[in-house]
Amino acid sequence: MITSYVYKLRPNQYQSSKMSSWLDTCRFLFNWMLVDRELAYHSSFIMGDYCILKWKSECCPLTCSPSKGSYFGYCWKDNGGISNRKKDDNAKPKKVNPRRSVVETQITLATRLKKELTFLKEVDSTVLQQVVRRVDDAFDGFFNKGKGYPNFKNRSAYKSFQYATGVLINGSKIYLPGIGWMRFYNSRELPTGFEIKTVTIRCKQDGWYISVRLEDKTVPDYPIRDVSEINTATALDMGLVKLAYCSDGSVVDNPKFGTSEKAKRTLKIRSRNLSRKKKGSKNRSKACKRLGKYHQKITNKREAYQWEVANQIVKKADAIIVEDLNIAGMIRRCKPKVDEHGNYIKNGQSAKKALNRLIADASWGNLIKKLEYLAVKQGKRLVKVNPQYTSQKCSVCGHIDAANRDGEKFACLNCGHLDDANIQAARNIKCRGVEQFGLVLKTRPRKVRVNVRRDSSEPKQLSLFEMPTSEVTEIRRYRGSGNRKRREPGNQIGEQLCLFDLDILDSSYSA
Ligand SMILES: [Zn+2]
């Protein structure tokens, strides 16, 4: 099993400045290795698919051996591919791939580079190796995982470096090779029996953090529950007024950490302060830090809230069904519109800007990631379904019409079914997930009666934390006896009843 723990470091001034300079060196090496690959690619593009007879290399330099014609470009391993490690005389020497992979070539290259660029020597060698691996990962992402082409990193884009070996932890002190013993806030104990795999040091706005990746081979991975063992399911419809609507009728509040009035005001003031400072001045860097710290604070709050919410949701059922949303597409800028004279006309982007910010602030993708992680950890499942028409379809008769929905209210034009539009959408998502993945929900949801005052303004929306963990099937409204006006003739004048309230009022009164 693999887990990772994050701690905040307490470096002294010397260590802190040393880590900053290491970051710069690593960033230099990253950019250098990127150039190396590109040059190799272009040289082969110009000169054709040649090879040097000694090395017999095939050429595809971005993912294969780069710099094949250069001094450094050893494509073959020195031992000709025969492993010279002999533990046992009778054992046959193990045959390994004689060609160097691109990572191996570039690691050799980095070692040789140290002779010419002496500042590379200051950084621990495993850290430099991890930088080369990072370049390789970036290309792997581009060629195999549909990510963007790796680009050069500036100071704000390169904020971490990684150790592969040599890190020791003792109490609340950690030993980092090349930097020394450093204190850290030991906020939770490391589990025993785990082996430290990699250690990542990350620079954030409010200091340095360390992420320790741990592995214990004796502990098995989390088992994934078979579809036939799933007995209960709950579905989520993501929203902005509320963060999420559950199919059982409960809702998750959206605290809008980054788009509340207070946050917007603070961000506005601090960014204005920053923009008025002279470029390159110390005051500007101070203002920049102040703004960054506020952004960090917003992120921290959001993360904490989302973990709490995700834990609560995963407790509800064996399977969690969510929409497979294309969030990047939702917050993409509108395409520019041009009139017949070639002038740009309004394309609705300015109106969409606020919505985009709300969506980005709600951070649905991160919540879904957390749900997925927690579901796997508890042996449960998270499934994604196509979001098409979930908010227009009637969950009773299946009639699909855009006119069914009016804001927060849902009224089916075919059968007259009335509901809260978002909770109705969550029910559709649940049905779709159950159908699509062939879930057989064995136990019927336990009947829980929730009493809600009839004159309550939001009678059906219970907060996630008020709702019992099983599905609710019945919501009973009772007549509140609070400080209401007495119902006497004459008192009813001017009292407007909502359409949704009418069906449950007793007839003697409504007449
Ligand atoms: Zn209907």
Side-chain angles (χ1 to χ4, degrees), residues 90-346:
N90 299 330
K92 283 182 184 175
K94 199 179 150 199
K95 192 112 178 157
V96 291
N97 188 359
R99 280 203 61 192
R100 281 180 202 277
S101 71
V102 66
V103 178
E104 286 166 331
T105 316
Q106 283 200 318
I107 285 175
T108 325
L109 186 58
T111 326
R112 282 155 192 258
L113 211 59
K114 277 187 190 174
K115 283 178 189 162
E116 291 171 34
L117 305 169
T118 43
F119 61 90
L120 286 178
K121 281 182 191 168
E122 288 165 21
V123 182
D124 186 74
S125 58
T126 60
V127 172
L128 293 182
Q129 286 176 17
Q130 293 303 103
V131 174
V132 176
R133 295 221 158 81
R134 193 163 158 180
V135 179
D136 193 56
D137 283 346
F139 274 104
D140 185 44
F142 173 66
F143 283 110
N144 304 326
K145 291 169 192 163
K147 290 184 179 167
Y149 186 78
N151 47 10
F152 293 105
K153 303 284 182 219
N154 60 13
R155 208 171 258 174
S156 60
Y158 202 94
K159 288 282 186 189
S160 65
F161 60 88
Q162 201 175 46
Y163 284 101
T165 50
V167 177
L168 302 170
I169 294 179
N170 184 11
S172 57
K173 279 188 170 181
I174 187 165
Y175 177 73
L176 303 170
I179 295 174
W181 285 96
M182 193 188 294
R183 292 185 295 170
F184 67 96
Y185 293 100
N186 196 358
S187 46
R188 57 171 176 165
E189 287 292 316
L190 277 176
T192 49
F194 277 77
E195 184 193 343
I196 298 172
K197 293 293 282 183
T198 53
V199 170
T200 310
I201 316 259
R202 192 164 281 120
C203 176
K204 288 190 181 177
Q205 285 299 330
D206 56 343
W208 293 87
Y209 286 80
I210 190 162
S211 163
V212 187
R213 205 169 152 81
L214 302 159
E215 187 178 23
D216 190 351
K217 281 177 184 153
T218 56
V219 180
D221 283 343
Y222 303 111
I224 297 173
R225 199 173 295 198
D226 196 59
V227 174
S228 59
E229 288 172 39
I230 291 173
N231 294 332
T232 51
T234 189
L236 293 179
D237 178 42
M238 299 298 175
L240 290 173
V241 179
K242 302 281 175 187
L243 188 61
Y245 300 82
C246 302
S247 55
D248 61 5
S250 61
V251 293
V252 183
D253 277 333
N254 184 7
K256 298 185 184 170
F257 294 110
T259 44
S260 66
E261 285 306 313
K262 192 188 168 195
K264 275 198 283 192
R265 183 167 180 271
T266 314
L267 284 174
K268 193 174 163 187
I269 291 171
R270 294 197 182 182
S271 7
R272 188 174 53 210
N273 275 347
L274 172 65
S275 72
R276 286 180 180 173
K277 300 286 183 289
K278 196 177 167 187
K279 275 192 183 168
S281 68
K282 277 198 172 173
N283 276 335
R284 191 182 174 92
S285 72
K286 276 185 211 162
C288 187
K289 199 156 198 181
R290 249 193 320 268
L291 177 64
K293 269 194 178 175
Y294 196 70
H295 277 294
Q296 180 76 49
K297 195 173 176 181
I298 291 169
T299 317
N300 290 349
K301 278 184 190 171
R302 189 189 294 126
E303 288 286 301
Y305 180 71
Q306 285 193 344
W307 278 118
E308 198 181 359
V309 165
N311 258 312
Q312 198 74 17
I313 292 171
V314 171
K315 266 188 209 164
K316 275 176 187 273
D318 296 342
I320 295 104
I321 305 166
V322 292
E323 290 172 294
D324 192 5
L325 296 170
N326 175 13
I327 298 163
M330 287 166 89
I331 56 180
R332 193 169 294 150
R333 289 183 72 86
C334 301
K335 277 183 183 166
K337 272 186 189 170
V338 185
D339 64 2
E340 64 269 26
H341 305 298
N343 298 326
Y344 287 107
I345 52 173
K346 284 194 173 179

